[in-house]
Structure formats: C-alpha cells, structure tokens
Amino acid sequence: MTLGIDVSKNYLDCCLKGVNQKGILVTKATKKFKNDENGFQSMNVWLKGKTTEGKDILCVMEATGTYHEDVLYYLYEHKYNCVLVLPNKIFHYARSLNKKAKTDKIDAELIADYGAKNATEFSLWFPVTKNIKRIKEFSRSIEDVNAQLVENKNYLHALKIAHNTNPKIIKLYENLIEKLEKMKLELESGLDKEIETDSEMKRMAEESAKIKGLTVRSVARVLAEVNCFLSTTSIRKAISYAGLDIIVKQSGSSCFSSSISKRGNKHLRNILFMSALSSAIYDEHNKDLRQRLLERGHKPIECTVSVMRKLLITIFVLTKYNRKYDPNYNWHNANHIPT
C-alpha cells in the first residue's frame, strides 16, 4: 500500500491507496491530521489499523521547505519506508492527467497515485548523520550571510556616491556590515569545529583538498550537500543532482544552444562555482582545461562550468571509491568506474 501525504504548515492530508482483488489501484482511506507530534501519533495509530504491518506501507511526500521534516523523521523512526519526491515531479504528473482542480486532498491523492505507480523506481529516504546536518546548516548560513554582505556593501557604495546622503543612514549600514562580517567569522569557526569532530569527514575532505584551489572547508561543504555520496551510485547521477547536466534542444532542422539544467541543488552549484574559479587559477590541469575551451571559442562561464563538473567528478571518485588523489591520473583507464 502507498500513503500519499500533502504537507502544509499546520496539517497533513493523507491518502492511502492499494490494489483491490481485480488488480486495480483504488483509494482505501483518506484523513487529515495536524502537523505536530499529536497528529503524528494519531496518523500512526490510523495506519496500524489499516495494515497488519506498518512496514507494508510506502510513505511518499513532497519536499516542502522544512514543513515535511518532522513527520518524515517520525515515520522513519517508526520503521516506515519513506520516499521524498521533488514537487515539480508531482506538478508535471498532475498536468499529464489533465487535472484542473487543486486542493490539499486532491494533491494527497496524486502523490499516493504517483508513489504507487513508481514504487520500484524510488530510492528510500534515510536521514543524514547529526554531524553532516550541522555542517550543512553552517554551510548554508555562510552562503546566506555572504549574499547579504554583497547586497549591503553594494547599497552602501551607492549611498556614498549619491548626492547629499544622510550620514546617519551610512553609519547604520556600516554597522550592519560589521555585524554581518562578525557573524560570518563565527559561522566559519563553528563549521571548522564540526569538521574537526568528524574524523571520517575530515579525512575525505583533506584528500580532495589536495586539488589546488580547494580547501578542507569547501570540500566538506560539498560532501555535506551530497551526504558523502552514500545514495549516489554513478557520476551521471552526481552531476544531475548538482544541476550540471547538459540540456540539448533539437527539433527537425532546428538546433538550439545547449545549457546546464540548473534543476539540482543550487547550494552545491554555488560552492562548486567559487571552488572552480579558484582551482582554475592555482591548479595547472584545471587552468589548462579552461584555457583550451576558451581557445575553442567557448564563453568564460561555459569554461567555468566545465571545471565545476570536473571537480565534482573528482571529489565523487575520491570519496565514493576511497581513492588517493593523483594529479596525473589517466581517466581513459577508468572504465570500471560507473558513469
């Protein structure tokens, strides 16, 4: 049986689907619960009454910011098989069925239907370790503070060159930037401490940080975003998760320019982008790669993306297969590595 859960801030709309005696997928039951601990317990009792074993139920839900996290962890801790799907997959599935109405109850039914029909293709969700979760939180907070610093520094610059700006406003923005820079230092210090406490994470990060231009901190941030590639089985899946896979558009005699999909983890792309800029300066192999592509007429951003892909592939191989970094490694002899 498949349980579809539509998650909102306050409620969980649930739809339980299963196959009847004729082999047809039908709705067995629907119910709404509160999105809190009491609601989770009530849902657990409700599910136990529908089947003899809770593990017979596949629980499927969309990733909805952070609203889904508590119920997801609760179900996992109570031995349910859980699957987390991207909202755009449910959106396009609904469009393929020509669904016009949209309510929480209908969405729960769609999620259950999608989960039942694609059950064999899913990878079950499992939680990351506490330490990796903390590293990811520090990493994303640093990214957010950096964005605020850039925004406020640009605005302060505009204020200073504007005509007759109130000096009090300038002073307030200077104080704000000072606080943000102090906050960034504290976050970076906290991130470094978390990396130090995880010996395995530190070992993997130090190996990949042998690539010139990378640091232990930047590699650890990449590994936290991909959960150390534990559920990533191939290079192509790693690239797709980062949104660095190439989209080719062609129809008849018309050919359109290709681009990366950007459908993956944007935080991972941001880390890889800054790392690629650095590595293309200090690492001779990545510098040569970028220069060759520039000489062929590629745009600078396309060359940087190529370095990003190469860095991600290298980190994947070093981490997934516990390899030692060799700057002169011959990739043509790496047929045994799943692509």
Side-chain angles (χ1 to χ4, degrees), residues 60-78:
V60 185
M61 66 189 77
E62 294 176 307
T64 53
T66 58
Y67 293 145
H68 67 279
E69 289 187 358
D70 284 342
V71 64
L72 187 60
Y73 275 86
Y74 179 90
L75 290 170
Y76 179 84
E77 290 167 1
H78 285 75

Side-chain angles (χ1 to χ4, degrees), residues 39 57 71 81 148 193 227 247 279-280 331 339:
I57 298 177
V71 64
N81 291 326
Q148 292 184 54
K193 288 179 181 178
N227 194 19
I247 301 297
S279 187
W331 284 92
T339 58

Side-chain angles (χ1 to χ4, degrees), residues 7-26:
V7 182
S8 62
K9 179 182 178 181
N10 298 316
Y11 293 101
L12 305 171
D13 283 86
C14 300
C15 176
L16 190 63
K17 285 203 169 192
V19 178
N20 62 15
Q21 295 178 348
K22 296 181 179 180
I24 300 174
L25 185 66
V26 295

Side-chain angles (χ1 to χ4, degrees), residues 37-49:
E37 188 67 26
N38 292 331
F40 304 158
Q41 293 175 3
S42 299
M43 181 175 63
N44 188 30
V45 173
W46 178 68
L47 290 174
K48 295 295 183 184

Side-chain angles (χ1 to χ4, degrees), residues 29-185:
T30 60
K31 199 165 184 179
K32 177 180 281 193
F33 302 95
K34 286 190 175 181
N35 192 0
D36 57 23
E37 188 67 26
N38 292 331
F40 304 158
Q41 293 175 3
S42 299
M43 181 175 63
N44 188 30
V45 173
W46 178 68
L47 290 174
K48 295 295 183 184
K50 299 298 178 183
T51 58
T52 55
E53 293 286 343
K55 64 182 180 181
D56 293 338
I57 298 177
L58 178 67
C59 302
V60 185
M61 66 189 77
E62 294 176 307
T64 53
T66 58
Y67 293 145
H68 67 279
E69 289 187 358
D70 284 342
V71 64
L72 187 60
Y73 275 86
Y74 179 90
L75 290 170
Y76 179 84
E77 290 167 1
H78 285 75
K79 310 303 180 184
Y80 289 96
N81 291 326
C82 300
V83 172
L84 196 62
V85 298
L86 294 173
N88 66 334
K89 291 189 175 183
I90 304 299
F91 172 77
H92 289 296
Y93 178 69
R95 290 188 65 179
S96 71
L97 298 177
N98 198 28
K99 292 284 186 180
K100 297 179 180 178
K102 177 176 172 57
T103 65
D104 292 339
K105 186 175 181 180
I106 291 174
D107 285 347
E109 183 179 349
L110 278 170
I111 294 170
D113 196 53
Y114 179 82
K117 293 178 179 178
N118 297 275
T120 57
E121 300 178 10
F122 290 134
S123 296
L124 294 180
W125 178 88
F126 59 92
V128 299
T129 64
K130 185 177 181 180
N131 192 259
I132 289 180
K133 187 175 186 297
R134 286 181 174 178
I135 291 174
K136 185 189 292 187
E137 289 170 348
F138 273 115
S139 175
R140 294 189 177 185
S141 297
I142 291 170
E143 182 184 340
D144 182 58
V145 171
N146 275 331
Q148 292 184 54
L149 274 170
V150 170
E151 180 182 354
N152 285 290
K153 283 181 178 180
N154 288 340
Y155 189 64
L156 178 61
H157 172 73
L159 288 175
K160 285 182 176 180
I161 63 174
H163 174 68
N164 198 23
T165 303
N166 190 332
K168 291 184 179 180
I169 296 177
I170 293 177
K171 185 63 177 177
L172 286 171
Y173 272 92
E174 288 176 340
N175 292 338
L176 175 60
I177 290 170
E178 184 180 345
K179 290 179 181 178
L180 287 171
E181 288 177 338
K182 183 179 179 181
M183 182 179 178
K184 179 184 175 182
L185 290 174

